[in-house]
Amino acid sequence: MLFNSYEFIFAFAPIVIIGYFAINKISGRNKLLGNIFLILASVYFYYSQDVNALYFLFLSIAVNYCVCAQILPPP
């Protein structure tokens, strides 16, 4: 699935957008469930490209977390 494919434009993106706002509306002020939904949708999107792309996704998340932890002071 590519960003410019009909599958993405007419199926995946609308489902994710509508799902995100519906979950946030149902859960009220708690945005955690909507964010978890977006994370799972992102993992599915990378998985649909290639299983090996998930390794790069998780590696990128880990590196960004470590860099951010070094930059920002602890609370």
Side-chain angles (χ1 to χ4, degrees), residues 3 5-6 8-9 14-17 19 25 27 33 36 38-40 52-53 57 59-60 64 69-70 72-75:
F3 286 116
S5 68
Y6 290 120
F8 177 82
I9 295 171
I15 289 171
V16 170
I17 292 169
K25 187 167 182 92
S27 65
L33 293 175
I36 290 172
L38 285 180
I39 290 169
L40 293 175
N52 293 327
L57 175 67
L59 177 67
S60 174
N64 287 332
Q70 294 297 320
L72 297 175

Side-chain angles (χ1 to χ4, degrees), residues 52-66:
N52 293 327
L54 287 177
Y55 299 126
F56 293 113
L57 175 67
F58 292 131
L59 177 67
S60 174
I61 291 170
V63 169
N64 287 332
Y65 178 80
C66 292

Side-chain angles (χ1 to χ4, degrees), residues 22-71:
I23 290 171
N24 280 341
K25 187 167 182 92
I26 291 169
S27 65
R29 303 191 121 208
N30 186 7
K31 306 268 186 210
L32 179 64
L33 293 175
N35 291 341
I36 290 172
F37 177 74
L38 285 180
I39 290 169
L40 293 175
S42 297
V43 168
Y44 174 76
F45 179 77
Y46 275 90
Y47 176 77
S48 70
Q49 293 291 321
D50 184 16
V51 177
N52 293 327
L54 287 177
Y55 299 126
F56 293 113
L57 175 67
F58 292 131
L59 177 67
S60 174
I61 291 170
V63 169
N64 287 332
Y65 178 80
C66 292
V67 169
C68 185
Q70 294 297 320
I71 293 173

